[in-house]
Structure formats: C-alpha cells, structure tokens
C-alpha cells in the first residue's frame, strides 16, 4: 500500500506541504486581524448592550482564539505540537458552541418571540467548559501529534482515526445537518409568519419588525459555519475512501478552515449602518468621544470626592466644645 503524501509531510520537504502550511498561516492571520477588529467595533460602539450582539461578540472571541493555532504553522517540538492540536480542537468546539447558541436563540425568537438572555451564564459554561473536556479526550491515548503539515489527532492507527471521527468529524457532521434543517425551517416559517401579519395594528407591526431585524442579524452566522465546514468534511470522507489524499481538497480545507472569524467580520459589515460606522473617520470621532466621556466621568468623580471632603471639613469646623 502506497504511503499517503500528507502523512509524510513532517518528515520530508514537499512543496505541497510547505504550500499548505503557508496558506494556513496567512489565512489564520487574516482571520485573527479581522476578528480583533470586529471585537473592537462591538466594544467601541457599545453593541454589547444587546444580547444578540453579545452572542456575535462571543463567537468573534472564539474565532479569534481559533485562528491562533493556524498561525502557529508547522511545529516540530513534541509538546508544542500537542498544545497546538489541543488548542485547535478546543477553540473549534467553542466556535461550534456559540454558533449553536445563536441558532437556538433564533429558533426561540421566531417561535416564542423571546430570547435566551436569561440563560447567558449557562451558555458560557457550556461553550467554554465542555470543549475542554472534549479536547482533553485524545490525551488519554496520547493521540495528539503530527497530522500532515500541522498538529492535531494523529491518524497512524485505527484508534486514532476513530478518535478523529468521535471527537470532531462525526459530531460536526450531525450538527451541520441539524443546522441546515433548522435554517431551512426558520426560513420557511418566517415567510409564513410575514404573510400572516398582514393587517395587524402598528404596535404589533413594530414588534414584528424588531424581531425580524434581530433574526436577520443572526441568521447568516450558522450558514457561514455550515459553508466553512463543507470542505473539511468532504476531505475527510475522501481520505477515508482513498489511499491518497487529494491535494486540491486539502488545499481548499486549508483555506476555508481558518476563515470563520474573517467571514463573520465581512458579514457583520454588510449592513449600511455598519459600513458607515466602520469608516476610519467615524471610528476616529467615536474614539475621541469615548475619550472625552472618560475624562468627564473622571472629572465628575474627582469633583464629587473633593466636595465630600470639603463638606466633611466644614462639619468638623462647626464642632463647638461643650464648655463654650
């Protein structure tokens, strides 16, 4: 049986392996920068005051962290390689978690017209803690190591190949199918509800408009995740059915896998309002406004403290000895 060229990447200088490493580093860095910018914009314009925007913020933080192992490139050190593999698994799952939360929140908005804001702390526990347990499973069998030109779960034997499917590909395939069905259902359901709202009073029309605006903001993020997951899943299926990995498929996987944060940022900037707010002049004016606001709050705090101290001094001077 011929040895797969991809599995030989750590041990030989192959132009294909070097190309894949460069591609992952470049696109991981691109995603890191855009995710950081998106987090900055949400903070600057205080979008985090709204629950739906906070969900996007949490997904952006997860995508920012998820781009780091891609930026690390090929690692020869054994412990560094295991760490890279763990980080990739952990932050991939945090992204999946927040995409799932966004989808569940959309479903509840459409069906019950309320959000899951009251469960926000529980979502944090699920999305940041559970991925750590999942990512820790391969350590039991010392399965993290070189997996082609990068580090992840090794595929040297049946156990490690099974771990790949149990820890990532199998659950993600199920989640992608479920999310696809949910997106189709929500799309059909919202169209029906839009038709049924005809003739309602202005208050109901206003409430409906606010709800659909929030749903539209969130709707595309699960779709982006589904689209980005297509090539990795196809590549894994092809590798399971053939002795030799397909370079074009692995190349497309290397391009799309790190792109969640970048595509989310581009998607976030699609609305006319966000395009205006993301202009350098608008951002600069908002930064100056935030600075003036901070200085004003600091000045008011100092004034209050000095006023309190002065009042205390006056009261002390008003004390008259008893014998007078």
């Amino acid at each position: 049986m011929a040895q797969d060229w991809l599995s030989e990447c750590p041990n030989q200088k192959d132009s294909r392996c070097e190309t894949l490493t460069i591609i992952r580093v470049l696109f991981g860095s691109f995603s890191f920068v855009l995710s950081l910018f998106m987090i900055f914009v949400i903070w600057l314009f205080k979008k985090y005051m709204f629950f739906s925007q906070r969900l996007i913020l949490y997904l952006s933080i997860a995508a920012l962290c998820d781009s780091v192992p891609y930026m690390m490139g090929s690692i020869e050190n054994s412990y560094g390689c295991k760490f890279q593999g763990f980080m990739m698994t952990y932050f991939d799952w945090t992204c999946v978690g927040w995409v799932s939360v966004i989808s569940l929140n959309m479903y509840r908005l459409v069906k019950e017209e309320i959000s899951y804001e009251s469960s926000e702390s529980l979502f944090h526990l699920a999305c940041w803690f559970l991925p750590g347990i999942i990512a820790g499973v391969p350590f039991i069998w010392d399965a993290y190591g070189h997996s082609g030109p990068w580090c992840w779960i090794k595929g040297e034997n049946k156990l490690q190949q099974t771990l790949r499917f149990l820890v990532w590909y199998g659950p993600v395939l199920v989640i992608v199918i479920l999310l696809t069905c949910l997106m189709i259902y929500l799309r059909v359901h919202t169209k029906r509800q839009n038709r049924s709202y005809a003739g309602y009073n202005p208050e109901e029309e206003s409430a409906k408009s606010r709800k659909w605006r929030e749903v539209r903001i969130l709707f595309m993020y699960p779709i982006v995740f589904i689209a980005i997951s297509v090539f990795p899943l196809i590549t894994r299926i092809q590798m399971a059915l053939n002795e030799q990995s397909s370079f074009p498929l692995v190349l497309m996987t290397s391009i799309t896998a790190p792109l969640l944060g970048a595509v989310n940022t581009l998607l976030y900037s699609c609305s006319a309002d966000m395009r205006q707010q993301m202009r350098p002049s608008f951002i600069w004016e908002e930064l100056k406004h935030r600075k003036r606001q901070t200085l004003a709050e600091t000045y008011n705090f100092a004034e209050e403290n000095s006023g309190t101290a002065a009042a205390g001094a006056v009261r002390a001077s008003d004390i008259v000895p008893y014998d007078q």
Side-chain angles (χ1 to χ4, degrees):
M1 181 181 293
Q3 187 72 28
D4 186 6
W5 65 269
L6 190 63
S7 63
E8 290 294 306
C9 278
N11 304 317
Q12 64 179 5
K13 295 296 182 181
D14 189 313
S15 60
R16 292 174 295 183
C17 302
E18 294 176 354
T19 299
L20 294 175
T21 301
I22 293 171
I23 288 292
R24 286 166 71 91
V25 171
L26 287 177
F27 281 89
S29 303
F30 179 61
S31 188
F32 181 90
V33 171
L34 288 190
S35 297
L36 189 62
F37 177 70
M38 185 170 176
I39 293 168
F40 168 73
V41 168
I42 293 175
W43 166 81
L44 181 63
F45 296 105
K46 298 184 178 180
K47 302 285 187 180
Y48 54 82
M49 301 295 291
F50 305 97
F51 180 60
S52 60
Q53 294 288 328
R54 287 202 300 277
L55 293 180
I56 297 173
L57 173 63
Y58 304 146
L59 176 59
S60 300
I61 293 172
L64 174 79
C65 298
D66 190 42
S67 62
V68 172
Y70 293 99
M71 295 167 59
M72 294 167 68
S74 181
I75 299 177
E76 296 183 3
N77 180 272
S78 176
Y79 292 105
C81 187
K82 294 178 190 296
F83 179 67
Q84 183 188 38
F86 172 81
M87 283 184 65
M88 194 172 296
T89 307
Y90 175 77
F91 288 115
D92 277 350
W93 270 111
T94 59
C95 291
V96 172
W98 286 116
V99 167
S100 301
V101 169
I102 288 173
S103 303
L104 289 173
N105 190 60
M106 273 195 303
Y107 177 79
R108 197 176 193 194
L109 279 171
V110 171
K111 293 294 289 184
E112 303 176 23
E113 302 190 359
I114 56 175
S115 71
Y116 275 113
E117 187 170 4
S118 59
S119 303
E120 190 170 353
S121 299
L122 183 62
F123 290 144
H124 276 290
L125 181 64
C127 292
W128 298 113
F129 178 72
L130 290 180
I133 296 176
I134 298 172
V137 169
F139 281 118
I140 300 173
W141 292 278
D142 192 29
Y144 282 125
H146 288 288
S147 177
W150 49 82
C151 298
W152 191 51
I153 301 173
K154 296 177 288 186
E156 298 172 352
N157 52 54
K158 289 293 183 181
L159 174 61
Q160 293 169 355
Q161 293 172 5
T162 302
L163 276 175
R164 287 180 173 182
F165 279 93
L166 293 179
V167 170
W168 181 248
Y169 289 110
V172 168
L173 178 60
V174 173
I175 290 171
V176 165
I177 293 172
L178 291 176
L179 287 177
T180 302
C181 294
L182 180 60
M183 293 301 103
I184 294 172
Y185 170 79
L186 290 176
R187 184 64 176 170
V188 172
H189 187 78
T190 51
K191 281 189 173 182
R192 289 177 179 174
Q193 281 198 337
N194 278 333
R195 288 195 295 267
S196 68
Y197 269 116
Y200 274 58
N201 62 48
E203 289 80 7
E204 290 178 335
E205 287 293 329
S206 178
K208 179 201 73 171
S209 178
R210 286 194 300 270
K211 183 180 75 171
W212 296 136
R213 191 182 305 118
E214 190 167 0
V215 169
R216 281 196 299 270
I217 290 172
L218 298 175
F219 190 81
M220 290 303 297
Y221 292 94
I223 294 178
V224 167
F225 171 76
I226 292 169
I228 284 176
S229 301
V230 167
F231 278 109
L233 291 173
I234 292 176
T235 301
R236 180 51 54 191
I237 293 171
Q238 186 273 331
M239 291 170 67
L241 298 176
N242 295 274
E243 295 180 5
Q244 291 292 322
S245 302
S246 167
F247 177 72
L249 284 177
V250 178
L251 178 63
M252 289 305 301
T253 297
S254 299
I255 292 172
T256 58
L259 276 183
L260 181 63
V263 177
N264 284 345
T265 303
L266 297 175
L267 177 65
Y268 193 75
S269 62
C270 282
S271 68
D273 291 341
M274 288 312 305
R275 283 199 302 271
Q276 181 181 5
Q277 290 181 340
M278 286 183 172
R279 289 186 304 180
S281 59
F282 205 97
I283 290 175
W284 179 245
E285 287 300 321
E286 185 63 23
L287 281 171
K288 291 193 292 185
H289 172 72
R290 290 290 292 268
K291 182 179 180 180
R292 289 193 299 268
Q293 190 177 40
T294 302
L295 290 174
E297 290 174 355
T298 304
Y299 177 79
N300 291 335
F301 179 76
E303 283 289 308
E304 290 174 1
N305 285 346
S306 62
T308 302
V314 171
R315 286 194 295 271
S317 64
D318 288 342
I319 297 177
V320 179
Y322 182 76
D323 57 0
Q324 291 182 2

